[in-house]
Amino acid sequence: MFMKGKRLLPILEIIFTVVIWGATFVATKIALQEVSPATIVWLRFGMGVVVLGAAVFLRNEFGVPDRNEWLYFAMLGFIGVAFHQWLQANGLVTAQATTTAWIVATIPIFIALLSWPVLKEKLGWIRIAGITLAAIGVLLIVSNGNPAALFTGREGTLGDLLVLISAPNWAVYTVLSRRELARHPSARMMFYVMLLGWLFTNLWIFGFGPGVSEIAHLTLKGWTAILVLGIFGSGLAYIAYYDALQVLPASQVGVFLNIEPLVTTVLAGFLLSEPITLIVMAGGLIIIAGIYLVSR
């Protein structure tokens, strides 16, 4: 009974994470109706830095990284926050939230591919079959069931391509961040990575973007979307995810994360009127099957 109670909280935390991260794609689409990607990312991760910073202090996990770690954290911040979010936020200008979520779900596939040359992990025929299945699923969803149309330009958007690039980009970030996760508590590491990544977004919004002029355009609907992205998506969900990962096996957490695009699909159908087609569901099931084969 004690063990069941001990596992209940982390299970609730991972469910919370899945729902919030699934909702972030929809929230980004809503916020894009009022402001540019630069403003969304700058506000989102500014809030995330505050939430994570507060968590680090409340947990007594604060510590200053060594001098030689700052450059590494800066690299992680650029790859995992500034560049990654530039790809996804700009991608969502033309890509559907549903399509985006299913493409992003293939990140474990790219981690497996990257782990082959970098970490010398074997692929094997089962993993290769999983990678192939996931690729077929993505092609079905992006092409709306007609892969040949991608080559004629009748299906697929530039946004789909940007989101697709974000998946291997996050895989690179994941592999590179493993070294620092062994040295720092997860919340502390994410705080510094997010802080430095947010500083990079300042160059984006103030150097090439609109500055703070667009913030006045945000309505209650827009601010609600930004708060979901910042406080929940970039703050509380990260904390809940790593808390759950400390108790639950990674394989079990992975099963829950596979539900994330389903959450996006349902929310996008209700809030954005994006169609929930048989092609999307079939492609999604194929992707999940591929991820299962790669992760097992």
Side-chain angles (χ1 to χ4, degrees):
M1 182 67 70
F2 173 74
M3 286 304 296
K4 288 183 179 179
K6 189 176 180 181
R7 290 168 63 88
L8 178 60
L9 179 58
I11 288 174
L12 292 175
E13 285 182 309
I14 197 62
I15 291 173
F16 168 79
T17 299
V18 166
V19 172
I20 294 301
W21 282 353
T24 56
F25 300 111
V26 177
T28 301
K29 289 289 286 188
I30 292 172
L32 282 169
Q33 297 171 5
E34 301 182 8
V35 293
S36 67
T39 300
I40 292 171
V41 173
W42 185 73
L43 287 172
R44 170 181 180 173
F45 285 94
M47 294 177 187
V49 167
V50 173
V51 173
L52 283 173
V56 169
F57 276 102
L58 290 173
R59 295 181 175 201
N60 295 317
E61 293 179 348
F62 182 77
V64 178
D66 295 336
R67 184 181 303 178
N68 62 344
E69 290 181 308
W70 283 101
L71 184 60
Y72 202 81
F73 278 137
M75 177 182 67
L76 291 176
F78 176 78
I79 295 172
V81 176
F83 184 56
H84 187 73
Q85 292 302 321
W86 181 89
L87 289 169
Q88 288 200 350
N90 280 281
L92 277 162
V93 172
T94 54
Q96 288 191 341
T98 302
T99 304
T100 298
W102 283 114
I103 293 175
V104 170
T106 63
I107 286 174
I109 303 298
F110 290 102
I111 292 176
L113 284 171
L114 189 62
S115 297
W116 175 38
V118 175
L119 302 178
K120 308 303 180 184
E121 293 182 1
K122 294 181 180 180
L123 280 180
W125 288 110
I126 292 179
R127 280 190 161 189
I128 292 172
I131 290 167
T132 304
L133 270 179
I136 293 171
V138 169
L139 281 175
L140 280 175
I141 291 174
V142 172
S143 67
N144 197 26
N146 184 15
L150 292 174
F151 299 98
T152 62
R154 288 186 288 116
E155 295 290 349
T157 67
L158 175 61
D160 294 332
L161 177 61
L162 291 177
V163 172
L164 182 58
I165 295 171
S166 79
N169 178 73
W170 188 261
V172 170
Y173 164 78
T174 300
V175 172
L176 291 176
S177 64
R178 284 178 179 174
R179 188 189 83 174
E180 294 305 315
L181 277 172
R183 301 181 183 182
H184 299 275
S186 55
R188 182 202 297 167
M189 192 201 85
M190 280 307 307
F191 168 69
Y192 283 113
V193 169
M194 195 173 291
L195 173 62
L196 293 168
W198 178 74
L199 291 176
F200 280 118
T201 69
N202 279 266
L203 299 176
W204 176 15
I205 189 170
F206 293 111
F208 309 99
V212 296
S213 62
E214 291 183 341
I215 295 178
H217 301 162
L218 284 167
T219 64
L220 178 61
K221 181 180 178 182
W223 271 114
T224 301
I226 294 290
L227 290 172
V228 168
L229 290 168
I231 294 176
F232 291 92
S234 296
L236 298 177
Y238 271 105
I239 297 169
Y241 172 74
Y242 283 111
D243 281 350
L245 202 57
Q246 289 178 336
V247 178
L248 302 175
S251 57
Q252 188 173 355
V253 172
V255 171
F256 281 101
L257 289 179
N258 289 337
I259 303 171
E260 182 183 323
L262 294 174
V263 174
T264 304
T265 300
V266 173
L267 290 177
F270 279 108
L271 300 177
L272 301 175
S273 298
E274 291 186 3
I276 304 176
T277 64
L278 288 176
I279 289 296
V280 168
M281 299 310 297
L285 289 174
I286 292 172
I287 289 171
I288 291 176
I291 293 170
Y292 169 74
L293 290 177
V294 169
S295 302
R296 70 192 291 268

